[in-house]
Amino acid sequence: MKKFTYYAPTEIVFGAGEEQRTAELVKKYGGSRVLLIYGGHSAVRSGLIDRLMKNLAEAGLEVRSTGGVVPNPLLSTARRMAKEAQEMKADFILAVGGGSVLDTAKGVAHAAAAPEHDIWDFWSGTKVERSLPIGAVLTISAAGSETSNSSVLTNDDTKPGTKRGMNTDFNRCKFAVMDPMLTMTLPKWQIGAGVA
């Protein structure tokens, strides 16, 4: 028999409609000023972003949303979003989407907490010593980024882009909301890719 140690500090909240608990969970982990990060337009078209913005605002949380994360997430996007987090004095980062959105949110959380560093410093060997808390509302089951200590970014300043991973326990989400109903709008090929 093989031995193993399993460590999963992320609080998993699973079930239909559970995204309505997002504000409660943000507050539980100390958030009051939330930067909500998302990818493309599917989360907007489905109404999820509006529902979450309303949920957070009705709970008395200050919230701003920002989108544009792409697959193989880009450093330039994370830098832009980190600046937005710093400008609003965010104290919590909420990722809405899949692995690329989560990886971007992790970089944003580190940079917003340590503005003396460029995000790429952390992907180049600088140790993360502090970060903002991160939560996730998943729209695809695939990467497992919501419970991992890993994150990947692509430096699009270099040609070709330099893609690097970075591991730290500061990458771990405080909570992850997994509502299977939120995955129903995905194209079949994307569901298949996630399963694979």
Side-chain angles (χ1 to χ4, degrees):
M1 182 180 296
K2 299 208 181 233
K3 297 179 183 180
F4 69 90
T5 300
Y6 182 70
Y7 176 63
T10 302
E11 181 177 357
I12 304 296
V13 179
F14 181 87
E18 289 298 278
E19 77 272 4
Q20 290 303 310
R21 292 186 53 202
T22 302
E24 166 198 335
L25 291 161
V26 168
K27 285 184 170 184
K28 177 178 179 177
Y29 292 102
S32 62
R33 291 182 309 279
V34 181
L35 182 66
L36 185 156
I37 294 173
Y38 63 95
H41 301 292
S42 62
V44 174
R45 279 193 309 268
S46 71
L48 177 60
I49 299 301
D50 284 343
R51 290 194 308 273
L52 288 171
M53 294 289 286
K54 181 179 178 186
N55 174 262
L56 295 163
E58 286 179 349
L61 300 170
E62 182 182 333
V63 60
R64 181 186 298 178
S65 69
T66 184
V69 175
V70 296
N72 298 305
L74 302 176
L75 176 61
S76 60
T77 304
R79 281 180 174 146
R80 172 180 58 83
M81 293 177 170
K83 186 174 181 182
E84 292 178 57
Q86 291 162 355
E87 287 170 355
M88 73 171 290
K89 296 180 174 45
D91 59 12
F92 198 94
I93 305 298
L94 181 64
V96 180
S100 293
V101 173
L102 277 131
D103 284 356
T104 302
K106 292 172 182 184
V108 170
H110 307 332
E116 69 276 14
H117 289 287
D118 180 68
I119 294 176
W120 197 245
D121 293 346
F122 300 121
W123 272 259
S124 300
T126 299
K127 184 178 179 183
V128 179
E129 296 182 349
R130 62 189 181 280
S131 188
L132 298 182
I134 308 157
V137 177
L138 298 172
T139 60
I140 182 172
S141 53
S145 186
E146 68 278 1
T147 58
S148 82
N149 72 342
S150 299
S151 181
V152 174
L153 284 178
T154 299
N155 185 341
D156 48 329
D157 288 343
T158 62
K159 300 293 179 217
T162 304
K163 187 173 183 177
R164 288 188 185 157
M166 189 266 292
N167 297 331
T168 175
D169 272 348
F170 285 106
N171 277 338
R172 294 187 183 276
C173 292
K174 297 297 183 185
F175 68 83
V177 174
M178 299 178 179
D179 178 347
M181 302 307 291
L182 298 179
T183 68
M184 300 297 184
T185 60
L186 292 171
K188 287 183 180 180
W189 68 266
Q190 198 168 16
I191 294 170
V195 170

